[in-house]
Amino acid sequence: MIILATVLLLTVLFGLWRVLRGPTAADRLLAIQLFGTTGAAFLLVLAMLVDIRALRDAALVIALLAAVLSAALVQYLRRQEKSN
Amino acid sequence: MTRLIAAAHRSGFLAWFICLCLLWAMLSAGQGWYLGLPTAFGASVLAAALRLPAPRPGTLLRLPRFMVFFLRTLWHGGWDVARRALSPNLPIAPAWEKYQLQDHYRDHPLYPRLRLLLSAMVGLLPGTLSTHYDEHTLTLHVLDERQDWRVTTLNLEQELARLLEMEP
Amino acid sequence: MGMTVITPLLYWLSWIFLLLSAGFFIAGTVGMLRFPDIYSRLHAVTKADTLGLGLLVIGLSLRADDLYSVGIMILIWLLVMGSGATACQLLARYGRESEGDTEADDVAS
C-alpha cells in the first residue's frame, strides 16, 4: 500500500514537468485534471493505509474543487485574452 | 394532502428530495439529519423552482444496461490510450474529424440533452475527444485516424438514446 | 466460517485491481509527457486516469470495512469522471481558441 501511494505521488511529480514546460496555457491547466484525479486516488489509498475516514472526505473535496476549478480558470483566461 | 404530494411529484421536487436524502445518508454515514433534512429540502425546492430535469424512475431502470456498456467502453478507452502511451514507437495519428448525429433523433425534445451527453462522454471512448458542437455535428479530435472511432461513437449515441427513452 | 476463505481471496483480488490501477496512472502520466500536442495529452490524462481511479475504487472497496466508505469512493469516482469529461472539452476548446480558430477549422474540414 505504501508503495502504491508512493507511485501515485510520483506520477503527479513527473506530471509537474509538463506543467513547468508548457508550452501552451492549456498544457499547464492539464495539471488540475492530474491533481484532481491522482490526488483523490492518493488520498483514498492514504485513508485506507492509516485508517482515517476524514481523508476520504478530503478526496471528495479535491474532486469537487477540480471540477469547478478548471471550468472557472478556462473562463477567466478566455475573458482576459479577449480584453487584451 | 394528496394534491400536495401530486404537485410535489409533478414538479420533480419529490424525486430530487429522495435522491438528496440518500446522498446525505451516504455522505454523513446516516448522522446529522437536523442539518441534512433542511439542506435537502432547500436544494429540492431550488431544483424544482429552476425546473432542473428530475431523476426519472424509467431512466433508473435502464441505467444498469447503460452502465455495462459504458464501463466496457471506458475500459477499452483507457486500455487503448495506455497501450499507445507506453509502446516505444508511439503509434498515434491525430486528426480532426466531424461526427454527424443521427437524423431520427432531431425532432425529439430531449435532443439537446443527447447532444450534450454525447459530447461529454465521447471523451471517455477509445481515441475520441469532443471540442465543441454545432446544431447537428460534433467536432472531434481523434487520437488515431486509422481507428474505427465512428462505430464506437455511433454505439454510444444509440445507447444514450435508449437510456433517455428516445428510441422511436 | 465462510469468512476465513473469502477474506484472503478478496484481499488478493483487490491487489490485482490496485496494481492495474497503478499501471493506468503511470500510463496517463507517460502519455502526458510523451504525446506531441495538447489534445493527445488530454486523451491520455482523461481516459487513463479516470479508468485508473475506477479500478482503484474497486480494489479499495473489496477491502473496505463498511458500505459508507464504498459509497463515498464511488461518488468520488463519478464526480471525477463527470468533471474530467467536461474539463477535457473545455481545455480542448480553449486550446483551439488560443491557437486561432480559423486554422483549426481548416484542419477539421
Side-chain angles (χ1 to χ4, degrees):
Chain A
M1 280 296 235
I2 295 178
I3 296 173
L4 181 64
T6 318
V7 166
L8 287 176
L9 216 53
L10 281 178
T11 59
V12 177
L13 271 180
F14 281 110
L16 279 178
W17 184 81
R18 172 57 68 199
V19 180
L20 288 175
R21 187 138 185 280
T24 66
D27 282 302
R28 299 203 167 91
L29 289 180
L30 259 183
I32 300 171
Q33 283 254 69
L34 189 74
F35 265 79
T37 319
T38 318
F42 174 70
L43 284 176
L44 286 180
V45 173
L46 213 59
M48 188 65 78
L49 192 64
V50 297
D51 205 16
I52 298 179
R53 303 183 57 99
L55 284 176
R56 239 165 249 143
D57 297 332
L60 191 68
V61 173
I62 280 212
L64 267 173
L65 267 181
V68 183
L69 201 61
S70 44
L73 268 178
V74 164
Q75 216 51 23
Y76 171 73
L77 286 170
R78 261 170 156 177
R79 205 169 298 162
Q80 219 174 29
E81 270 171 25
K82 260 176 206 156
S83 63
N84 283 345
Chain B
M1 188 64 191
T2 40
R3 274 175 61 196
L4 198 67
I5 292 176
H9 177 63
R10 256 199 322 280
S11 62
F13 169 84
L14 208 60
W16 274 112
F17 189 63
I18 293 170
C19 288
L20 290 174
C21 282
L22 286 175
L23 184 65
W24 179 273
M26 203 164 72
L27 285 178
S28 64
Q31 291 167 330
W33 285 103
Y34 64 94
L35 211 65
L37 276 180
T39 315
F41 185 83
S44 311
V45 168
L46 205 61
L50 292 171
R51 294 180 196 289
L52 291 183
R56 289 195 310 201
T59 311
L60 282 184
L61 284 178
R62 285 153 191 266
L63 206 55
R65 184 202 152 102
F66 182 75
M67 281 314 278
V68 169
F69 164 79
F70 181 72
L71 291 179
R72 229 181 43 220
T73 39
L74 184 68
W75 167 261
H76 284 308
W79 181 257
D80 178 70
V81 82
R83 185 179 59 83
R84 285 168 203 277
L86 293 178
S87 64
N89 57 343
L90 209 65
I92 62 170
W96 290 100
E97 299 276 0
K98 297 262 185 202
Y99 176 78
Q100 187 105 25
L101 273 93
Q102 304 276 91
D103 306 338
H104 48 269
Y105 301 132
R106 280 183 192 172
D107 301 322
H108 200 281
L110 287 177
Y111 184 64
R113 206 191 300 175
L114 173 73
R115 202 174 42 195
L116 182 74
L117 283 174
L118 182 65
S119 174
M121 286 182 158
V122 96
L124 296 169
L125 292 189
T128 48
L129 180 75
S130 159
T131 57
H132 59 268
Y133 53 82
D134 326 319
E135 206 160 348
H136 301 306
T137 45
L138 302 180
T139 304
L140 300 177
H141 181 266
V142 189
L143 194 57
D144 184 350
E145 52 182 344
R146 296 158 296 187
Q147 205 180 15
D148 211 359
W149 57 271
R150 216 173 272 277
V151 176
T152 21
T153 315
L154 186 70
N155 279 340
L156 176 65
E157 187 185 359
Q158 273 164 352
E159 289 293 334
L160 272 174
R162 193 171 282 139
L163 179 71
L164 297 172
E165 301 174 72
M166 287 171 69
E167 288 291 318
Chain C
M1 12 166 274
M3 287 298 276
T4 46
V5 188
I6 292 172
T7 314
L9 199 72
L10 284 184
Y11 189 77
W12 286 111
L13 199 63
S14 99
W15 264 123
I16 296 177
F17 279 104
L18 291 179
L19 285 178
L20 264 175
S21 96
F24 279 105
F25 275 111
I26 292 171
T29 299
V30 169
M32 185 168 163
L33 296 178
R34 281 185 80 199
F35 281 168
D37 56 272
I38 169 73
Y39 311 105
S40 309
R41 285 172 208 143
L42 271 172
H43 281 279
V45 173
T46 314
K47 293 192 237 289
D49 279 12
T50 310
L51 183 60
L53 186 64
L55 293 170
L56 186 95
V57 165
I58 296 175
L60 290 180
S61 295
L62 287 176
R63 52 172 81 189
D65 317 320
D66 53 301
L67 276 177
Y68 287 121
S69 39
V70 174
I72 288 190
M73 287 196 283
I74 292 177
L75 196 68
I76 290 174
W77 181 51
L78 289 176
L79 206 65
V80 163
M81 200 153 59
S83 81
T86 334
C88 84
Q89 271 187 91
L90 278 172
L91 283 178
R93 203 179 306 164
Y94 175 63
R96 274 176 68 124
E97 274 178 8
S98 31
E99 73 184 27
D101 222 349
T102 47
E103 184 198 357
D105 269 334
D106 284 343
V107 181
S109 54

